Amino acid sequence: MDKRSIQSDMSSYIGKLLRDHFGKGPSSVFVSIEGKFLTIYLKDFLAPMERVLVGQRNDKKVEETRDLMMRELIPDIKATFRATSGIHVDHLYYDWSLSRRTGVLVGVITSDAPDEGEELISYEHKDAVHEEVEKLSQKAEKAPASIRSFLLNNRTLLIERNGILVAIEKEMISAGYEQPLKISKRRLEKRLLNHASFETILGTSIEDVFIDWDFDKDRSYMVLILKP
């Protein structure tokens, strides 16, 4: 099965899965597989009840409910991808922009080739992007131990940060406060992110920003959806 067929099948599967579990699926699902990364961009994804909660400024309740739902769905998503396309997803990250009714899933594909995806690293002004990411991280927690970024296609810039958790955050995770910490960190970093600086560096507008963490690995992925 070629990559385009796999992407089409994944798009149909994810749309149906979310519709079955949320009562309303996204109007559009864009799947991209590049190197060791799988990205799924969702548009117009907000269930009727969620729309009411967002209208009442109760975004936190929607985020908490979706987080619980995704924990249940991720094992099924991984198993289906493995069975239908032979793609082994090691970890699946996700985040939402409720005001824009969009969302993104990022899958890290298990590969025997450790350097697979390195050819995606080089793009214009990469160093300047990394400098901005470091400034953001320093304001929110601390400078990352390492930063890598991958321009997956003309709309998707994926930024990987390793070693960013501070001691108090690690203590909160150990005490069982992972979910509220993640929600708070998302809001803080999105508020601190300077769209104007990134847009000047990249020479294009940023339509969406998504952030998620793997606290066990002390790793974070940030996705910038660019205007093509």
Side-chain angles (χ1 to χ4, degrees):
M1 184 182 295
D2 61 31
K3 185 166 75 171
R4 183 169 296 183
S5 297
I6 291 174
Q7 292 175 166
S8 177
D9 289 348
M10 285 183 174
S11 175
S12 299
Y13 163 70
I14 290 294
K16 183 178 185 304
L17 180 74
L18 296 178
R19 184 169 60 252
D20 289 346
H21 287 81
F22 287 88
K24 180 189 181 302
S27 63
S28 303
V29 181
F30 302 95
V31 177
S32 177
I33 302 171
E34 296 295 339
K36 66 175 184 178
F37 296 108
L38 160 72
T39 58
I40 303 171
Y41 183 43
L42 314 172
K43 301 191 78 171
D44 190 23
F45 178 44
L46 197 66
M49 182 58 71
E50 293 177 330
R51 191 177 299 115
V52 172
L53 291 171
V54 171
Q56 296 174 346
R57 299 183 181 276
N58 204 345
D59 295 23
K60 183 180 178 181
K61 181 62 67 177
V62 177
E63 293 176 40
E64 290 173 345
T65 303
R66 284 193 175 188
D67 193 31
L68 293 173
M69 182 69 78
M70 289 304 297
R71 291 183 187 183
E72 294 294 320
L73 295 182
I74 282 175
D76 289 340
I77 293 173
K78 289 182 178 181
T80 299
F81 285 176
R82 184 168 60 248
T84 60
S85 62
I87 292 179
H88 294 250
V89 176
D90 176 53
H91 197 91
L92 197 64
Y93 300 79
Y94 57 88
D95 188 21
W96 325 101
S97 176
L98 298 178
S99 61
R100 292 179 55 85
R101 303 183 183 182
T102 55
V104 75
L105 309 181
V106 176
V108 180
I109 300 171
T110 302
S111 173
D112 294 331
D115 295 331
E116 185 176 351
E118 294 299 317
E119 71 277 3
L120 300 172
I121 293 178
S122 296
Y123 60 91
E124 195 173 7
H125 308 307
K126 181 187 72 173
D127 290 342
V129 168
H130 288 193
E131 288 177 7
E132 283 299 313
V133 171
E134 184 168 349
K135 290 178 185 177
L136 163 69
S137 301
Q138 285 178 323
K139 291 178 181 177
E141 52 265 318
K142 68 175 185 178
S146 67
I147 302 173
R148 298 195 304 166
S149 60
F150 308 83
L151 189 62
L152 302 181
N153 51 59
N154 67 341
R155 295 207 61 190
T156 311
L157 178 61
L158 180 69
I159 301 167
E160 177 189 283
R161 296 175 294 169
N162 289 283
I164 57 174
L165 293 175
V166 296
I168 186 62
E169 292 174 330
K170 293 178 180 179
E171 192 65 29
M172 289 180 69
I173 294 165
S174 298
Y177 293 101
E178 179 175 329
Q179 187 188 55
L181 176 63
K182 185 174 290 190
I183 291 174
S184 298
K185 284 172 68 65
R186 275 198 185 112
R187 293 183 177 182
L188 174 61
E189 291 203 349
K190 288 181 180 180
R191 189 166 64 246
L192 292 174
L193 190 140
N194 190 332
H195 283 244
S197 295
F198 279 102
E199 290 176 342
T200 299
I201 293 168
L202 296 168
T204 187
S205 300
I206 296 174
E207 295 187 350
D208 264 324
V209 178
F210 303 98
I211 308 173
D212 197 13
W213 287 264
D214 180 344
F215 288 145
D216 291 335
K217 295 182 179 180
D218 196 356
R219 177 175 297 162
S220 170
Y221 281 104
M222 179 185 300
V223 176
L224 305 184
I225 301 296
L226 312 175
K227 184 176 182 179

